[in-house]
Amino acid sequence: ANAQARFAATDLADADHRGRHLSIVVWATTFGAVAGPNLTGPGRWVAERLHLPVLVGPYVLSLVGIALAALVLTAALRPDPLLTARSLQVDHDEPDPTAGLEGEATRGWAVIRTRPDALMGVVAMALGHVVMVSVMIMTPLHMRHGHATLEVIGLVISLHVVGMYALSPVTGWAVDRWGGRAVIGLGAAILLTASVLAATSPEGHSAVLTLALVLLGLGWSCTLIAGSTLLTGAIPLRQRPAAQGLADVAMGLAGGGGGALAGVVVGWWGYPALALLAGGAALLGGQTRDDHARLAAEQGVLAHEVRFLFGEGAAHAGLHWGDLGGQFVAVQRHGGLQAQRVARRQAARGAGADDGVPHFLRVLAGAEQLEAVLAGVAGAGDDGGDVAGVCGHGQGQVAVVLQLGQ
């Protein structure tokens, strides 16, 4: 439930600020992560009053905290952001790949595997988590072998937690500014650097190992926030819970498996070998396809097209990019209208954008604006494209689909 809370922050967020909203929830975890290890003293007092074993005390306090959190969410998180978002924006014209499927995991996988951005987000989160957990969980043992004190070990782990959460808002801003794939690549590079530093650090305490653990947390933060934002942006609202739940299951299984295997690797080959293997996983997670040139070209084409429909000012309005079943989708909103340009991803591998693959511009408008949109298309001549279809979209909107070229 704590992990899924980050997704709730995105349900009503606009696409340009989705990463920042998600990251603030992740950042709030900092307070609990820092305060938690300090509950040992108060926990002892609680255990003594309840006549329980001393080490049970912190668990009692944790149980109280979880109960209070559940109470606050139940009483204050109203109306539910996901249900509100669904009522405001229903994907009437989106085919549902999960229709007829049983089980949340099955439905989640059905929608994730058809959307490259969603799959990339899940892979990034899982690999980032396995790298972080496997190295972090064996670091106290590595330090203890060098006779580091428990206080020093605790300090290093605390700094690692700070790296995981404290800079989350900055990571969220970077995702909104440069995109999820770019920040995933940055996170993978940071995780690789952290793994190499950890592999070269001596047993016991050292500045190199401390820096490695801080960077390990920061790289994990990049893959978590960027991967979560990428996943959320690629999935229609009604299918998000199943996909997001499956993503966290994959992330948890990856972390649990990595933690279990970490002990085996350290036992056979030592801590440096574990860190290098983790670095290899980080390198694998950073292998994202560079679509920036393609996106820039599509932005220019879309701006040229919507100029004829919405006027000169629309060409300079903000653009939002997404991915729909292996296709690029450019969305531009202006004056109450919304245009979506869809171009098949295969066209990116050709010599140019107009390589014989049809391109379409879908304009969503209120019924009262339909006449103005059609007039704009007619006035644009050949540059405006041909009307391929007009259909109802729901919520009082009409979808006009224009074929823009072969």
Side-chain angles (χ1 to χ4, degrees):
N2 188 47
Q4 286 284 300
R6 71 188 190 277
F7 290 122
T10 67
D11 291 331
L12 289 173
D14 61 272
D16 294 333
H17 300 89
R18 188 175 286 136
R20 270 168 277 194
H21 288 198
L22 185 148
S23 67
I24 289 174
V25 175
V26 176
W27 172 76
T29 310
T30 308
F31 297 97
V34 172
N38 296 302
L39 292 178
T40 304
R44 177 189 294 273
W45 182 86
V46 170
E48 291 174 351
R49 296 299 180 275
L50 296 177
H51 305 290
L52 296 172
V54 172
L55 294 179
V56 175
Y59 289 98
V60 174
L61 294 178
S62 298
L63 181 61
V64 172
I66 292 172
L68 290 175
L71 180 63
V72 169
L73 289 174
T74 302
L77 193 64
R78 295 181 179 276
D80 185 277
L82 178 61
L83 298 181
T84 303
R86 283 175 173 173
S87 67
L88 295 174
Q89 181 182 352
V90 181
D91 305 296
H92 292 284
D93 59 345
E94 285 290 324
D96 187 0
T98 68
L101 298 179
E102 296 184 359
E104 290 298 313
T106 303
R107 286 195 289 269
W109 173 243
V111 68
I112 288 172
R113 67 183 178 85
T114 61
R115 288 169 165 80
D117 274 0
L119 187 59
M120 181 68 225
V122 174
V123 171
M125 286 188 285
L127 286 177
H129 200 55
V130 73
V131 172
M132 186 276 290
V133 170
S134 60
V135 175
M136 179 272 294
I137 202 170
M138 287 292 109
T139 296
L141 184 63
H142 178 64
M143 296 181 68
R144 194 62 177 164
H145 285 168
H147 308 292
T149 64
L150 293 178
E151 290 77 11
V152 172
I153 293 174
L155 175 62
V156 171
I157 298 301
S158 296
L159 291 175
H160 165 68
V161 172
V162 170
M164 290 173 64
Y165 298 111
L167 294 180
S168 295
V170 178
T171 305
W173 172 85
V175 171
D176 291 334
R177 176 66 178 83
W178 290 295
R181 286 178 176 264
V183 177
I184 287 173
L186 174 63
I190 294 174
L191 287 173
L192 176 60
T193 302
S195 299
V196 172
L197 289 175
T200 58
S201 66
E203 292 182 343
H205 173 254
S206 67
V208 172
L209 185 59
T210 302
L211 177 60
L213 266 290
V214 173
L215 291 177
L216 189 70
L218 181 58
W220 174 86
S221 177
C222 289
T223 56
L224 175 74
I225 293 173
S228 300
T229 305
L230 204 61
L231 169 69
T232 300
I235 304 294
L237 276 167
R238 66 183 175 206
Q239 297 158 359
R240 282 181 188 173
Q244 291 166 342
L246 181 62
D248 274 2
V249 169
M251 186 174 161
L253 290 175
L261 291 176
V264 177
V265 173
V266 170
W268 280 90
W269 298 292
Y271 182 80
L274 170 68
L276 291 177
L277 286 174
L283 187 62
L284 179 64
Q287 299 303 307
T288 60
R289 184 172 60 253
D290 185 7
D291 286 329
H292 296 294
R294 167 65 169 171
L295 295 182
E298 284 293 321
Q299 284 181 345
V301 173
L302 177 63
H304 172 73
E305 290 159 355
V306 299
R307 183 183 294 114
F308 292 100
L309 296 175
F310 303 155
E312 286 291 332
H316 304 290
L319 287 165
H320 164 60
W321 288 94
D323 189 283
L324 175 63
Q327 298 174 326
F328 286 113
V329 180
V331 181
Q332 187 159 14
R333 296 175 177 86
H334 181 75
L337 302 179
Q338 174 177 296
Q340 295 179 341
R341 188 178 198 278
V342 181
R344 293 182 183 176
R345 183 177 295 278
Q346 286 82 352
R349 304 191 183 108
D354 297 318
D355 55 357
V357 179
H359 295 257
F360 298 91
L361 176 69
R362 182 172 63 177
V363 180
L364 304 182
E368 70 281 359
Q369 299 170 307
L370 178 59
E371 184 176 347
V373 172
L374 295 177
V377 175
D382 293 338
D383 291 312
D386 300 320
V387 177
V390 179
C391 61
H393 183 71
Q395 302 293 321
Q397 289 187 317
V398 177
V400 181
V401 181
L402 310 177
Q403 183 169 331
L404 302 169
Q406 294 288 338

